[in-house]
Amino acid sequence: MQVDYLEIKERSLLKVPGYDKPVEFGVLTKFAYPLEGNLGEIVVATTRIETMLGDTAIAVHPNDDRYSHFHGKYAIHPFNGRKLPIICDAILVDPKFGTGAVKVFSICMNKISVEILFQVILYILWYFLCSLQITPAHDPNDFEVGKRHNLEFINVFTDDGKINSNGGSDFLGMLRFKAREAVAEALQKKVLLYYYLFHEK
């Protein structure tokens, strides 16, 4: 299969198969996960907020003093109540980039649709630009993080790029980039959405 790569260096509107309007890329979104036991929150950043539906952990650097008191604790997923362990990973996390806390979306898929492939390519490019999100099926490093920490692998996408039942009933059947908007709105209602930032290299 031949794949064309597109490097994205700034906020961009791109035509994606299956969508009437161009889709916005290059927007970095910060949002918070509440900590178990009402101990506060931990803020992460991502260019693909819709994938938080399948998050299975949050990674911090073991030597980052900002997060040392979070080691071994849990965040709570705001939509499904899943406990997300806060893990230490010196290989993945760059404490000097972004918030220093990386959301972990461990997904395992057997089939990849054209839309998912397009998203994979865009993600790999953004991984090197942002280094904020982990998706094991989309990047070998992400897959290794999931294996290294024995994380659950949750697939929230159907083969045709829609949210499946693992993503929750509020988002079930939505196209991925429609879900992106819906997840941001739902986080905003829970006062967990911080801001959008146009990321430029």
Side-chain angles (χ1 to χ4, degrees):
M1 175 185 294
Q2 181 177 340
V3 177
D4 293 326
Y5 290 91
L6 175 65
E7 185 176 352
I8 301 172
K9 293 185 178 181
E10 58 190 17
R11 179 178 175 250
S12 303
L13 293 173
L14 300 174
K15 184 69 177 149
V16 176
Y19 293 84
D20 296 331
K21 298 185 298 185
V23 175
E24 184 176 52
F25 292 91
V27 178
L28 194 60
T29 305
K30 281 190 176 182
F31 71 96
Y33 273 114
L35 296 173
E36 183 180 44
N38 295 318
L39 297 175
E41 62 187 22
I42 187 165
V43 177
V44 297
T46 181
T47 58
R48 303 175 310 147
I49 197 167
E50 70 281 6
T51 62
M52 65 84 64
L53 297 172
D55 281 358
T56 57
I58 297 166
V60 296
H61 195 283
N63 299 327
D64 189 339
D65 291 337
R66 294 174 297 171
Y67 298 111
S68 60
H69 60 291
F70 291 138
H71 296 182
K73 299 215 174 359
Y74 291 87
I76 303 299
H77 199 288
F79 299 137
N80 57 38
R82 181 168 49 244
K83 288 175 65 169
L84 309 176
I86 299 173
I87 60 175
C88 295
D89 196 295
I91 297 170
L92 172 74
V93 181
D94 178 355
K96 297 176 183 170
F97 194 87
T99 65
V102 180
K103 59 187 284 320
V104 181
F105 172 52
S106 298
I107 177 175
C108 183
M109 295 179 353
N110 295 325
K111 299 177 183 176
I112 298 179
S113 68
V114 172
E115 180 182 355
I116 296 290
L117 181 60
F118 181 79
Q119 295 165 17
V120 168
I121 295 165
L122 289 174
Y123 171 69
I124 289 170
L125 294 170
W126 272 109
Y127 179 83
F128 291 108
L129 293 176
C130 298
S131 190
L132 294 169
Q133 186 173 347
I134 303 100
T135 311
H138 297 205
D139 182 279
N141 294 323
D142 298 352
F143 181 75
E144 291 303 319
V145 170
K147 285 194 331 187
R148 219 169 23 247
H149 296 280
N150 298 314
L151 299 176
E152 184 179 3
F153 284 71
I154 299 173
N155 179 3
V156 296
F157 296 113
T158 63
D159 293 340
D160 59 351
K162 295 178 182 171
I163 303 297
N164 67 24
S165 60
N166 293 333
S169 59
D170 291 343
F171 309 101
L172 181 63
M174 286 185 187
L175 286 169
R176 178 182 186 153
F177 297 121
K178 298 286 186 191
R180 178 174 290 181
E181 296 169 6
V183 167
E185 288 173 13
L187 285 169
Q188 191 168 29
K189 286 179 184 172
K190 291 181 176 282
V191 197
L192 294 172
L193 185 69
Y194 275 58
Y195 62 80
Y196 295 104
L197 173 69
F198 299 143
H199 183 78
E200 295 185 6
K201 187 175 180 182

